[in-house]
Amino acid sequence: MFSFIIFLNIFFICVVGIGYYFKNIFVITNVKSLGELIILGLFGISFILTLLHLLIPISDLVNIFFVIIGILLFLINYKEIFKFLNLEKYLILMLIVLSVFLFFNYEPNEDFGFYHLPYVVNFKSEKIIFGLSNLQMNQGWNSLWLNLHTFFSFKFNDYKTIYILNILFYISVNLLFIKNIFYSNLFKNDKVQN
């Protein structure tokens, strides 16, 4: 469980760092939540991996390279990123703790070995294979969600970190919903007082 928490924190930092980098590249000024940074980071990673997969297989070494880049981007911009944490830090901690207990011993679906795992293994072992859908129909379309699962999976831990993607998405959506609810109530109360 301790190693799973370490991996979760490493990937959290990496995705937030890449999300902040994409926010600056595309000059997105209305990002005001850490949940939005996580979504941007996940989108950025999936976009880069999909393009890179045309040239090379997305191996564990490529994933480790992007994790290191994400952590470095986080460390370079940590002062700006911590501005997003002012109201959300306790909520993030609570969501991470809750999600670790929800997802730590999560057993994959019975079809994981038929659909998701073969796609991840093919994505990691070969560059894009044209005509793969002739062998298995579900391999015929490219899913950004499965591409992201490839980023979070490592052979050395038997693909146990593959569900960190679900945890990060769960955290980001909850942060967005709670922040929107909080601000809508705050503006309602402000309008009533005026």
Side-chain angles (χ1 to χ4, degrees):
M1 182 168 178
F2 183 69
S3 64
F4 184 79
I5 293 172
I6 290 174
F7 277 114
L8 176 62
N9 287 319
I10 288 171
F11 280 119
F12 181 81
I13 289 170
C14 167
V15 169
V16 169
I18 290 174
Y20 189 79
Y21 180 72
F22 268 82
K23 173 192 160 311
N24 289 339
I25 280 184
F26 294 114
V27 192
I28 303 172
T29 58
N30 58 352
V31 174
K32 298 192 178 9
S33 169
L34 192 65
E36 292 170 332
L37 280 181
I38 294 170
I39 297 286
L40 274 175
L42 293 175
F43 177 74
I45 291 168
S46 64
F47 181 73
I48 291 169
L49 288 181
T50 303
L51 288 179
L52 196 60
H53 188 239
L54 293 170
L55 304 172
I56 61 172
I58 307 302
S59 64
D60 287 350
L61 188 61
V62 173
N63 288 344
I64 291 171
F65 173 75
F66 279 111
V67 167
I68 291 171
I69 294 294
I71 291 171
L72 288 175
L73 290 171
F74 182 88
L75 293 175
I76 290 169
N77 301 307
Y78 75 94
K79 289 181 182 176
E80 290 85 17
I81 292 172
F82 279 129
K83 292 177 186 175
F84 290 95
L85 296 176
N86 55 2
L87 294 175
E88 300 173 342
K89 58 186 168 187
Y90 298 111
L91 180 62
I92 293 167
L93 180 64
M94 184 179 69
L95 286 171
I96 287 175
V97 169
L98 178 65
S99 60
V100 164
F101 287 114
L102 286 175
F103 290 100
F104 173 66
N105 285 327
Y106 179 74
E107 293 296 324
N109 301 359
E110 56 274 352
D111 65 348
F112 178 73
F114 295 116
Y115 301 108
H116 301 106
L117 188 59
Y119 185 88
V120 168
V121 169
N122 285 334
F123 205 87
K124 290 180 88 62
S125 63
E126 302 289 333
K127 66 182 184 83
I128 193 166
I129 302 172
F130 295 103
L132 190 60
S133 64
N134 293 330
L135 296 175
Q136 189 175 9
M137 187 59 177
N138 70 325
Q139 300 288 328
W141 55 81
N142 193 350
S143 166
L144 287 181
W145 191 254
L146 288 176
N147 293 358
L148 276 172
H149 274 297
T150 302
F151 177 70
F152 292 98
S153 65
F154 288 98
K155 290 179 188 174
F156 64 84
N157 66 359
D158 296 328
Y159 302 104
K160 289 183 181 179
T161 55
I162 201 167
Y163 295 108
I164 289 180
L165 170 62
N166 298 348
I167 295 171
L168 291 177
F169 191 70
Y170 168 78
I171 290 170
S172 65
V173 168
N174 279 312
L175 287 174
L176 289 172
F177 285 156
I178 292 171
K179 192 155 190 153
N180 285 334
I181 290 169
F182 175 74
Y183 280 123
S184 68
N185 285 336
L186 185 69
F187 290 130
K188 266 189 215 175
N189 291 339
D190 190 37
K191 289 179 184 176
V192 169
Q193 290 175 358
N194 290 333

